Amino acid sequence: QVQLVESGGGLVQPGGSLRLSCAASGSIFSINAMAWYRQAPGKERESVAVISSSNTTYYAESVKGRFTISKNNAKNTVYLQMNSLKPEDTAVYYCNAAIRKYYSDDYLNYWGQGTQVTVSS
């Protein structure tokens, strides 16, 4: 099986920073894109940042210049450095990865359990 485990969420004041981590483990042959999504109460889940296997990155307009996505291929881990946090960044943040398992020809989408980020004074 494949598992994604997030960490690093919490409560932070406006203007503060947090770093989220997501480690993938299990029967992993290769990982394609990895991404962070978020879902605020009463809203749909939205893409925040994506990093491809070749390290091309994409950011939602609302986080450009404040958030940075990166990864450590040796550790199968993706990070989200969040700076200059705003109350509207409050949400549950989910890790997502396209993973090919051993003895499989296809990449499947996997999700973490989510980690709460609350930005409030």
Side-chain angles (χ1 to χ4, degrees), residues 1-115:
Q1 296 297 329
V2 171
Q3 192 175 17
L4 300 182
V5 178
E6 300 118 332
S7 60
L11 173 64
V12 64
Q13 292 187 344
S17 298
L18 280 175
R19 187 190 193 213
L20 305 183
S21 300
C22 171
S25 62
S27 181
I28 297 171
F29 179 75
S30 70
I31 299 178
N32 198 352
M34 301 186 81
W36 288 96
Y37 287 72
R38 68 185 180 187
Q39 187 166 20
K43 295 188 176 182
E44 293 187 356
R45 189 173 298 189
E46 62 175 356
S47 175
V48 175
V50 182
I51 185 165
S52 73
S53 56
S54 59
N55 289 326
T56 300
T57 56
Y58 156 86
Y59 296 95
E61 284 296 327
S62 59
V63 306
K64 275 185 182 178
R66 300 187 298 122
F67 290 11
T68 302
I69 189 170
S70 62
K71 62 186 173 82
N72 183 323
N73 291 329
K75 295 183 178 181
N76 288 336
T77 299
V78 64
Y79 306 96
L80 186 67
Q81 177 67 43
M82 305 185 293
N83 299 327
S84 303
L85 282 161
K86 305 175 181 180
E88 50 263 43
D89 295 318
T90 296
V92 177
Y93 283 71
Y94 296 92
C95 174
N96 171 272
I99 295 174
R100 179 181 170 188
K101 296 171 61 176
Y102 283 103
Y103 311 114
S104 173
D105 294 330
D106 300 318
Y107 284 90
L108 299 179
N109 245 352
Y110 291 88
W111 292 90
Q113 81 285 358
T115 184

